[in-house]
Amino acid sequence: KYMFYKCTSLRSIDVKSTSGQIPESFCEGCTSLETMRLAEGLTSIEKKAFYQASKNLGELTIPSTVTSIKDSAFYAIAWK
């Protein structure tokens, strides 16, 4: 929870999950994110995981293994 909360210098993230989930507010407020890669094996993206996480995000592919995306997980993201 809150691992990279408001880390405004974070530009890229490659999420490889050992627990199967991306926790709540994982990258909330990381407004400089341009690249996000999510690995197969993820099953859940918790609430606000990427809330307000980018002002210029490129393409994002949700792995086929994800079965649950909680409220506001990708809220207020600006896409290219």
Side-chain angles (χ1 to χ4, degrees):
K1 194 170 178 180
Y2 300 103
M3 187 171 286
F4 296 105
Y5 182 76
K6 294 193 177 183
C7 181
T8 57
S9 62
L10 186 64
R11 297 177 59 95
S12 177
I13 192 160
D14 189 355
V15 180
K16 295 177 178 145
S17 176
T18 57
S19 69
Q21 72 172 3
I22 297 174
E24 180 180 337
S25 299
F26 180 70
C27 281
E28 181 178 344
C30 296
T31 55
S32 296
L33 269 178
E34 295 176 357
T35 306
M36 219 187 294
R37 286 180 293 283
L38 306 178
E40 287 292 324
L42 287 171
T43 56
S44 176
I45 301 172
E46 297 301 310
K47 70 179 186 176
K48 292 187 171 183
F50 296 100
Y51 181 85
Q52 295 180 332
S54 180
K55 293 181 181 177
N56 196 27
L57 186 66
E59 183 177 311
L60 172 67
T61 301
I62 307 287
S64 62
T65 53
V66 171
T67 57
S68 174
I69 299 174
K70 301 291 172 85
D71 293 335
S72 302
F74 295 97
Y75 184 78
I77 290 180
W79 301 88
K80 283 185 182 178

